[in-house]
Amino acid sequence: MNIRSSDQRIAQLTEAGLWGRQTLHSLLETNAKSTPDREAVVDPENKADLMGQPMRRLSVLELDRASSACARELARRGVKAGDRIVLQLPNTSELIVLYYALSKLGVVISPTAVQYGKHELSHFKQELAPAAMITLGDLRGSRLADQAREIMGDTPVWDVTDDLDVFSGLSEDAGGEWASDANATLTIAWTSGTTGTPKGVPRSHNMWLAQGRLTSYAAEFTEGERFLSPFPMINMAALGGFLFPSALHNCTLVLHHPLDIPLYLKQLQDERINYTLAPPPLLNRLAQQPEMWEQFDYTALRAIGSGSVPLSPAMIETFESRFKKAIINFYGSNEGIALISTPENSPSPEHRASLFPRLGASGLNFGTYAEGAIITRINDPDTGEIVVEPGVSGELTVAGPGVFDGYLNHDGSDVFTTDGFFRSGDLVEICPEKPSHYRIVGRCKDIINRGGIKLSPSELDTLLEGALGLAEASVCAYADEDLGEKVCACVVPLAGTEIPTLEALCAHLGEKGVARFKLPERLEVFDALPRNPLGKVMRNVLREQVEAREQEGATP
């Protein structure tokens, strides 16, 4: 069996009621029996333009039937339990059918972003040794299947628009003898690769369901709600935030790809969406240009999740006071981090924008769905000692049923503490003015070292985001002969606005009380900031671009 968790861990979490026997596909089977006609999956409206296929609306029963027939066809092609299959597909119903089909077979699914090219796919092939890859022939001119066949060599590559019809069994019996071990590895997702080579993150059904329950509790999901997912269905944000909660609560999953703001807003209205996620730059833009939001009817919408970067307090205030929509701030990772700041546990927009409850910390209770659902603390990154003093930064470490067991093909060094807590690499501190919460300081490797003084770039990102007519803002280090590193502000102005000067940016930060030694010493203007498929700014790429501009300017 493809199980990575130790017998001891399985026994402990099962006895505590945190792990059980449910699988992704067993939840679908249950839902198909109770509400066969409820919509399960709705394609993006632009699917025909995206990949030349008709838009579909699948009921719960049709999803169950299609995934069963697809599982039988894949088994006929030689796919078996424990095999690893790479998926490279956009957010469409084909991808959702395949998730359930491969779950039924006990296959390990490795989803990859459609933006990934030959370099990344070659790495995934080497790490995974996959039995097959499933993709499509043409994604708006990108020949994904041709690229995959060039990389995969003798490994089969199947095209869902050509030789693998995942909808062939919509009228067939959904029954079958399917895999049943909830502790078997279901997915191997990949770290974002913002630093170094992406690492494989194996996760079982039980790990994903634990994550889905935390999200469900924080977002207050109820049965039959309608979700709109604009994030790629390849990682924690979409899988833990949408796929597994939709299975747990028998909800409708409406898909969107790629992010198209007018279409996204139209789907929110037309599909009567109750909950969605949105990237911070989009929310900032809507808050700054409320006429875009107010042209639609969003009476069905309860709440919006966001995250991956610090949020703007002004944005939260606008959405909740003017638009009457709750904002939930998520801070998570594929490995199992799940800090969630909600209107209930963090009522103040200032706090919710950048602080997160210390879930599972000793002496604190935020009403999570079960005791031990997640345990967090701070460790000194050098000594390993537990940090309990407010205002002292250290590494966030995490344990609980949603945390993975270790990276694929990795020796495990420096991944966990000696007592089994995952070392996140994220620097946090107990907030002095609100000791029940963490403040994110930055990444252990993101810290800017300016003449021996360590600066957190994420702190400045938060203060610049949405300020002075900026659509996007981030800071990065750049090399300096005297100080080692200095700070560069990288900005994307809103259309039609003037580009702020470096002096204006520094004055804005000074008004916010930022110390002079933290102020940027350089300003670079971009059309867009480099982001990974999860929407996070790739600070290392940003630094490379800034330093490349400096070299170009120095060339005679």
Side-chain angles (χ1 to χ4, degrees):
M1 297 296 292
N2 192 36
I3 299 174
R4 295 174 62 89
S5 300
S6 67
D7 292 342
Q8 180 183 13
R9 187 182 189 204
I10 292 172
Q12 288 176 341
L13 291 173
T14 302
E15 184 177 352
L18 298 171
W19 281 1
R21 299 175 60 86
Q22 289 178 320
T23 61
L24 178 64
H25 59 272
S26 73
L27 290 169
L28 175 62
E29 293 166 5
T30 299
N31 295 338
K33 292 175 183 177
S34 63
T35 58
D37 298 327
R38 176 177 293 167
E39 279 189 333
V41 183
V42 178
D43 265 322
E45 291 185 21
N46 61 335
K47 185 179 178 182
D49 174 64
L50 192 66
M51 53 186 285
Q53 298 295 308
M55 177 186 175
R56 292 180 181 268
R57 292 177 178 270
L58 298 181
S59 70
V60 182
L61 181 58
E62 287 174 328
L63 177 58
D64 196 20
R65 287 174 171 174
S67 58
S68 290
C70 183
R72 288 191 285 267
E73 171 59 22
L74 291 171
R76 187 189 67 78
R77 298 186 185 202
V79 177
K80 60 186 183 302
D83 282 348
R84 297 169 177 177
I85 303 290
V86 177
L87 299 182
Q88 189 179 35
L89 293 164
N91 276 7
T92 62
S93 53
E94 286 86 350
L95 179 59
I96 306 304
V97 170
L98 283 164
Y99 265 113
Y100 282 101
L102 296 171
S103 174
K104 290 178 177 182
L105 290 177
V107 166
V108 180
I109 306 163
S110 185
T112 64
V114 294
Q115 297 96 325
Y116 284 155
K118 296 178 182 179
H119 174 74
E120 291 85 5
L121 292 179
S122 297
H123 173 67
F124 299 154
K125 179 189 177 184
Q126 180 179 354
E127 291 290 298
L128 288 168
M133 179 170 176
I134 303 175
T135 184
L136 73 162
D138 190 306
L139 180 66
R140 285 187 171 174
S142 296
R143 306 294 297 177
L144 298 185
D146 290 345
Q147 173 183 260
R149 291 186 177 107
E150 181 180 344
I151 297 300
M152 292 295 163
D154 295 335
T155 300
V157 175
W158 298 317
D159 177 355
V160 297
T161 59
D162 183 14
D163 59 350
L164 179 62
D165 183 0
V166 303
F167 302 114
S168 63
L170 288 176
S171 61
E172 296 182 13
D173 181 9
E177 294 294 326
W178 307 123
S180 60
D181 197 327
N183 294 308
T185 301
L186 175 64
T187 63
I188 297 177
W190 298 90
T191 59
S192 57
T194 53
T195 57
T197 305
K199 296 186 287 292
V201 182
R203 294 177 64 85
S204 68
H205 294 265
N206 267 325
M207 294 172 189
W208 276 122
L209 289 172
Q211 213 78 24
R213 292 186 185 102
L214 273 175
T215 301
S216 298
Y217 181 88
E220 299 182 344
F221 295 150
T222 59
E223 180 171 338
E225 288 198 304
R226 297 176 67 83
F227 302 156
L228 177 59
S229 175
F231 286 4
M233 199 67 62
I234 61 173
N235 52 55
M236 179 63 72
L239 296 177
F242 288 112
L243 182 63
F244 283 85
S246 72
L248 282 164
H249 299 281
N250 197 4
C251 294
T252 301
L253 187 56
V254 182
L255 301 172
H256 181 92
H257 188 105
L259 183 60
D260 179 314
I261 296 174
L263 180 57
Y264 173 77
L265 296 176
K266 183 174 181 292
Q267 280 181 290
L268 281 177
Q269 170 187 266
D270 294 352
E271 296 291 344
R272 304 292 295 167
I273 298 301
N274 305 117
Y275 173 80
T276 188
L277 283 174
L282 171 56
L283 296 180
N284 290 338
R285 180 177 175 184
L286 292 170
Q288 293 165 356
Q289 301 175 343
E291 64 277 5
M292 292 180 63
W293 179 266
E294 292 171 341
Q295 64 182 309
F296 294 99
D297 175 12
Y298 299 128
T299 53
L301 187 64
R302 288 193 304 103
I304 303 172
S306 193
S308 79
V309 297
L311 304 184
S312 162
M315 177 274 291
I316 297 175
E317 178 67 28
T318 297
F319 266 85
E320 298 190 342
S321 296
R322 179 165 179 168
F323 301 157
K324 307 302 180 184
K325 306 301 176 187
I327 298 294
I328 302 171
N329 191 0
F330 290 91
Y331 189 78
S333 74
N334 283 329
E335 293 91 341
I337 302 172
L339 302 183
I340 308 171
S341 195
T342 70
E344 181 179 10
N345 63 42
S346 307
S348 163
E350 290 284 343
H351 291 159
R352 203 174 333 138
S354 58
L355 303 183
F356 294 89
R358 295 168 56 203
L359 299 180
S362 177
L364 296 174
N365 183 2
F366 295 94
T368 50
Y369 81 96
E371 184 179 354
I374 184 170
I375 306 169
T376 64
R377 70 186 189 198
I378 303 175
N379 287 78
D380 184 291
D382 297 321
T383 67
E385 294 182 2
I386 297 175
V387 176
V388 295
E389 182 181 351
V392 177
S393 65
E395 184 176 23
L396 175 69
T397 60
V398 183
V403 177
F404 79 144
D405 288 304
Y407 295 110
L408 180 69
N409 303 331
H410 191 278
D411 62 9
S413 59
D414 297 325
V415 177
F416 296 94
T417 64
T418 55
D419 56 349
F421 279 62
F422 168 59
R423 298 185 60 183
S424 69
D426 296 331
L427 289 176
V428 304
E429 66 180 18
I430 297 172
C431 181
E433 62 269 26
K434 194 174 178 64
S436 60
H437 283 56
Y438 296 120
R439 175 184 285 118
I440 309 301
V441 177
R443 289 285 297 174
C444 292
K445 296 182 180 180
D446 264 355
I447 297 302
I448 299 172
N449 188 347
R450 185 185 184 277
I453 300 174
K454 306 294 180 66
L455 311 178
S456 166
S458 63
E459 176 187 20
L460 298 178
D461 289 353
T462 304
L463 296 171
L464 289 174
E465 188 74 59
L468 302 176
L470 300 180
E472 300 180 66
S474 185
V475 302
C476 70
Y478 66 98
D480 179 77
E481 290 184 0
D482 296 325
L483 296 175
E485 292 179 337
K486 288 185 177 181
V487 182
C488 178
C490 304
V491 304
V492 178
L494 283 169
T497 63
E498 291 186 7
I499 299 172
T501 63
L502 177 61
E503 291 74 18
L505 287 181
C506 290
H508 170 78
L509 293 173
E511 291 172 0
K512 296 291 185 180
V514 175
R516 290 184 60 84
F517 67 82
K518 295 183 178 180
L519 297 179
E521 292 148 295
R522 180 173 172 181
L523 172 66
E524 292 289 345
V525 180
F526 292 78
D527 293 329
L529 299 184
R531 297 179 183 273
N532 65 23
L534 311 187
K536 294 183 180 180
V537 173
M538 295 187 288
R539 215 179 296 271
N540 59 322
V541 175
L542 198 57
R543 175 171 180 160
E544 291 171 1
Q545 293 179 357
V546 167
E547 293 182 343
R549 290 184 179 189
E550 186 175 40
Q551 290 296 321
E552 291 170 0
T555 302

